[in-house]
């Protein structure tokens, strides 16, 4: 059985499905709790949606979650070189940098990072990542808006007065500016969520519908972290951005990892699976 070889990508003779014997590309998600929690099943996290699209549905890429709950950009920058060394053997194709939600608390709070330092930290992260992984596409994601009343209620008023919508907006704007200064792409989640007026965000021309909420505050489960609709908004926006920046990294554009089962010869699968493509391993 033969295949049409297109560089690392090949086409199964029976299935017509493109595949690759090379290692799967990797998407590396770096940030605070909104990244760490993106793998949560309870709220169908945006990382879980990426896994569903890229690993479960098409087996074409791996999703690595390196979210650090409670971290700000200062602490994230400090540990970033260690994380890169631990992942040195598998350079990612895409990296998301998603901080700001903790940095933007008031100066008296322990997680606060001043706005000028925050921007410098993000740019420094981009430099460190590009030095280690020069081919990776780097995307900055802005912090979301914050529903102060819901957050204070969720925390039992222990953090009352530490967060504000105005501060979150300022750090979101700074994220976009830092991305531009670093030559990186940015995803303005703050504006995306603020623009939400209800309905299923994945449906074209979605009307207000049951289960998805009717206002931007419904995108946040506790006033800060993403509810299911907020996660879906982020996932769809990231998919859209990837399609614009690097269409070849779309879930339906990447070749699947290893041949489709229908292309494996029944009589003698070994040479096809192990020998004929060894140069692509």
């Amino acid at each position: 059985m033969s295949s049409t070889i297109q560089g690392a990508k090949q086409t199964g003779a029976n299935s017509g499905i493109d595949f690759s014997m090379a290692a799967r590309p990797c998407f590396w998600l770096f940030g605070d709790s909104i990244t760490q929690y993106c793998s949560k099943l309870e709220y169908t996290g945006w990382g879980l949606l990426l896994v569903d699209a890229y690993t479960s549905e098409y087996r074409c890429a791996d999703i690595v979650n390196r979210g650090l709950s409670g971290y700000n950009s200062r602490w994230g920058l400090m540990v970033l070189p260690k994380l890169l060394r631990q992942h040195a053997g598998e350079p990612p194709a895409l990296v998301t940098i998603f901080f700001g939600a903790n940095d933007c608390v008031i100066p008296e709070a322990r997680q606060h990072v001043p706005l000028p330092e925050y921007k410098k930290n993000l740019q420094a992260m981009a430099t460190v990542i590009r030095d280690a992984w020069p081919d990776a596409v780097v995307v900055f994601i802005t912090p979301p808006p914050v529903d102060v009343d819901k957050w204070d209620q969720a925390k039992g008023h222990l953090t009352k007065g530490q967060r504000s919508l105005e501060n979150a907006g300022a750090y979101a704007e700074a994220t976009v500016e830092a991305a531009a200064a670093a030559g990186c792409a940015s995803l303005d989640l703050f504006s995306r969520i603020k623009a939400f007026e209800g309905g299923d965000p994945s449906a074209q021309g979605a009307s207000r519908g049951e289960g998805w909420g009717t206002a931007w505050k419904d995108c946040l489960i506790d006033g800060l972290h993403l509810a299911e609709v907020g996660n879906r908004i982020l996932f769809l926006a990231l998919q859209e951005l990837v399609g614009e920046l690097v269409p070849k990294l779309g879930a339906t554009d990447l070749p699947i990892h290893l041949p489709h089962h229908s292309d494996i010869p029944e009589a003698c699968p070994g040479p096809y699976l192990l020998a004929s493509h060894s140069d692509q391993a």
Side-chain angles (χ1 to χ4, degrees), residues 2 43 52 67 70 74 103 135 143-144 154 195 267:
S2 62
Y43 305 116
D52 181 60
R74 181 186 298 154
D103 301 71
D135 295 327

Side-chain angles (χ1 to χ4, degrees), residues 139-141 185-188 192 235-247:
V139 176
F140 290 11
I141 303 176
S186 61
L187 193 165
D188 188 353
R192 292 264 186 168
F235 165 72
L236 293 170
L238 186 57
Q239 290 288 83
E240 177 184 323
L241 185 60
V242 168
E244 294 172 359
L245 294 174
V246 274

